[in-house]
Amino acid sequence: MTKLRLAIVGAGPAGIYAADILLKAERKFDVSIDLFEQLPAPYGLVRYGVAPDHPRIKGIITALREVLDRGDIRIFGNVRFGEDVTLEDLKRHYHAVIFATGAIRDTNLAIPGIEAEGSYGAADFVSWFDGHPDVPREWPLEAESVAVIGNGNVALDVSRMLAKHADDLLPTEVPDNVYRGLKASPVTDVHVFGRRGPAQVKFTPLELRELGELHDVDMVVYDEDFDYDDASKAAIASNKQVMVIDRVLQSWRKRDSVNNAGGTASRRLHLHFYAKPLEVLTDDAGRVSGFRWERTRPDGEGGVVGTGEIREVAVQAIYRAVGYFGSPLPGVPFDKRHGVIPNHEGQVLRKDSNERVPGVYATGWIKRGPVGLIGHTKSDAMETVRHIINDQGSWWQPVDPSEEAIPELLASRGVRWTDLEGWHRLDQHEVALGAPHERARVKVVPRDEMVAISRGE
């Protein structure tokens, strides 16, 4: 019987689901899977891209953990593709590879002043508050008034973390350095801007509802944004999710804090709709001093057009949360325009000729772009895995597909990799750090420390 030795690069939900689906699939050959992850811990954006006060979403980790804990998938953490292990190495030791590396960079926002000091990408801020080992430990939280550009869940995560009082994060797994940074923040006002109207937002009702439950934070919405056109009314009437979002926003209009009148909280979170970003304003020192936007209006078809009315708000920091973008991988085709690996249903294609690249596959955000939730990731993986099973005739022919080859290769290169047992060690260590303080866990942040604990050094 043939045996498929498969490498998967990326141990987030996309990579783990692909491994699980292949192992459970009907096939005429045995399978042996190695997961490679550049971080010392698995789970990707579920560990490093979801705000720490979202335990419900963190529950996804439980399902991923069950897959890894079966013991039929090996994991090599703290291994960088392109440095510690290359595409040529994988061809030597495997029949195929799936790239499941996600998208972790911020999409650009091409407006004047966006590069000013005090202007940040949301992805970097999320990495900081989630304790990602490869970002600086400190974050400059000196602004009293902040603008967040975007109308998706990441914009809400960023806004909530900026507006929320640090002590209210203590029961979560917030890293200590993040708690201290947020505790010292002088912020009073967070302004969230979206180009379109309340009926066209991209966030989910759950995320929105959570904003209104923040302690000592007033929600501020503006009556002028709720003069709905027919397209918005139709969206609210026909889509349950949009209906719930409208209901939440309408309930905030009835609160005392609306339009800044009578609010009593020490912090305010403002939601501005119909606002097209025009410019980040700066002071003489090149620091963010304000945000300029154009008021838009509905075009009758679910889109917007400019009105020519220009507005400004004084802010000292700006966060752009307009989407994530994929990063190129050494030796792998890459579409710079869309930030994905070019592919047909997960079969990777050469960039210029659209010919298939044998043995190379993609799944998750690096395959389809950073859209969709966990459910999409599963169906995505199924499509890719189906092709791998059917493509047996074009698999690579490895020189040495033995199980021992990879540990020997990494050891010869001095790579301090971490394995599943190591992740259990780190996991238990973090949970133990949190227990005395009744916290879910306290994340270990420095990479060297993560690796040393994982390896029992």
Side-chain angles (χ1 to χ4, degrees):
M1 181 185 274
T2 313
K3 182 172 188 176
L4 168 65
R5 285 276 290 133
L6 176 71
I8 299 178
V9 179
I16 294 173
Y17 285 142
D20 186 42
I21 287 164
L22 178 56
L23 285 165
K24 290 175 177 171
E26 208 173 294
R27 50 192 159 72
K28 295 190 171 76
F29 48 82
D30 285 339
V31 174
S32 157
I33 299 176
D34 288 344
L35 270 175
F36 292 90
E37 170 56 54
Q38 68 165 344
L39 294 167
Y43 309 137
L45 276 183
V46 184
R47 180 172 162 99
Y48 289 116
V50 178
D53 59 347
H54 266 191
R56 284 182 292 260
I57 297 177
K58 296 281 183 188
I60 296 161
I61 284 184
T62 306
L64 299 176
R65 179 197 302 270
E66 284 169 6
V67 175
L68 290 185
D69 283 358
R70 284 200 314 255
D72 51 4
I73 302 164
R74 290 199 302 182
I75 181 162
F76 294 90
N78 199 40
V79 176
R80 293 180 190 273
F81 176 78
E83 292 176 35
D84 302 322
V85 66
T86 66
L87 191 61
E88 288 308 311
D89 295 327
L90 298 184
K91 284 182 179 174
R92 205 170 296 125
H93 301 296
Y94 296 93
H95 296 94
V97 59
I98 301 176
F99 288 100
T101 49
I104 56 167
R105 287 188 298 146
D106 284 288
T107 297
N108 291 329
L109 178 64
I111 59 171
I114 198 68
E115 300 298 333
E117 193 179 337
S119 172
Y120 310 105
D124 292 334
F125 184 55
V126 172
S127 290
W128 173 75
F129 68 56
D130 268 331
H132 194 294
D134 297 339
V135 299
R137 297 282 61 76
E138 306 303 317
W139 189 272
L141 290 162
E142 294 136 10
E144 291 182 11
S145 191
V146 180
V148 178
I149 303 170
N151 257 179
N153 283 344
V154 175
L156 292 197
D157 263 3
V158 167
S159 307
R160 195 179 65 255
M161 288 294 288
L162 287 166
K164 193 169 188 166
H165 291 274
D167 285 356
D168 295 331
L169 288 166
L170 275 177
T172 73
E173 57 183 58
V174 65
D176 282 336
N177 64 301
V178 175
Y179 166 73
R180 289 193 303 273
L182 292 171
K183 180 80 173 165
S185 169
V187 72
T188 58
D189 290 85
V190 178
H191 298 267
V192 186
F193 293 92
R195 280 176 52 252
R196 300 195 293 171
Q200 287 81 39
V201 294
K202 295 283 190 234
F203 31 74
T204 51
L206 177 65
E207 290 265 354
L208 186 66
R209 204 181 283 123
E210 283 176 348
L211 278 189
E213 295 164 2
L214 295 181
H215 156 68
D216 190 33
V217 178
D218 277 334
M219 296 306 305
V220 185
V221 291
Y222 298 87
D223 287 336
E224 64 178 354
D225 290 336
F226 293 89
D227 185 12
Y228 289 144
D229 68 330
D230 289 343
S232 293
K233 288 174 185 169
I236 292 164
S238 62
N239 185 311
K240 191 177 177 197
Q241 185 159 308
V242 180
M243 188 190 302
V244 174
I245 285 169
D246 177 61
R247 198 176 297 149
V248 172
L249 293 170
Q250 296 292 354
S251 74
W252 293 346
R253 290 179 73 189
K254 299 181 178 77
R255 291 187 185 181
D256 289 342
S257 58
V258 121
N259 294 338
N260 287 323
T264 56
S266 67
R267 293 178 176 178
R268 288 159 296 283
L269 210 162
H270 310 250
L271 296 182
H272 304 268
F273 301 100
Y274 298 115
K276 178 189 174 185
L278 290 183
E279 185 177 359
V280 177
L281 306 175
T282 56
D283 62 17
D284 294 341
R287 289 193 56 83
V288 171
S289 64
F291 175 60
R292 180 177 291 152
W293 75 95
E294 180 183 9
R295 178 85 180 157
T296 62
R297 62 173 173 79
D299 65 2
E301 296 173 9
V304 290
V305 292
T307 64
E309 182 189 344
I310 310 301
R311 297 184 183 181
E312 290 178 10
V313 62
V315 295
Q316 300 83 51
I318 274 193
Y319 292 80
R320 68 181 188 279
V322 292
Y324 285 113
F325 204 75
S327 301
L329 296 155
V332 182
F334 187 69
D335 178 342
K336 284 182 191 161
R337 191 159 158 241
H338 300 102
V340 297
I341 294 173
N343 69 91
H344 169 70
E345 297 182 349
Q347 296 171 307
V348 172
L349 305 174
R350 296 188 202 286
K351 217 172 88 188
D352 306 323
S353 64
N354 273 354
E355 282 176 50
R356 271 194 44 219
V357 181
V360 185
Y361 300 84
T363 191
W365 281 4
I366 199 66
K367 168 186 172 183
R368 70 174 189 276
V371 288
L373 303 169
I374 293 293
H376 295 91
T377 305
K378 280 187 174 173
S379 53
D380 223 23
M382 279 179 178
E383 182 180 70
T384 299
V385 163
R386 190 175 67 243
H387 280 300
I388 290 174
I389 292 171
N390 294 335
D391 289 349
Q392 192 171 345
S394 61
W395 290 350
W396 296 330
Q397 299 303 313
V399 178
D400 177 8
S402 67
E403 303 268 334
E404 309 80 49
I406 291 299
E408 287 171 5
L409 176 74
L410 294 175
S412 73
R413 290 178 181 171
V415 179
R416 295 167 69 222
W417 79 90
T418 61
D419 57 15
L420 185 59
E421 195 183 325
W423 161 238
H424 288 157
R425 270 194 214 104
L426 179 61
D427 183 38
Q428 288 159 10
H429 180 85
E430 291 183 339
V431 171
L433 288 177
H437 313 285
E438 297 183 353
R439 296 170 64 177
R441 73 173 63 229
V442 174
K443 264 188 196 164
V444 175
V445 180
R447 184 184 279 263
D448 286 352
E449 196 180 329
M450 291 175 75
V451 172
I453 293 163
S454 299
R455 291 172 63 92
E457 294 171 357

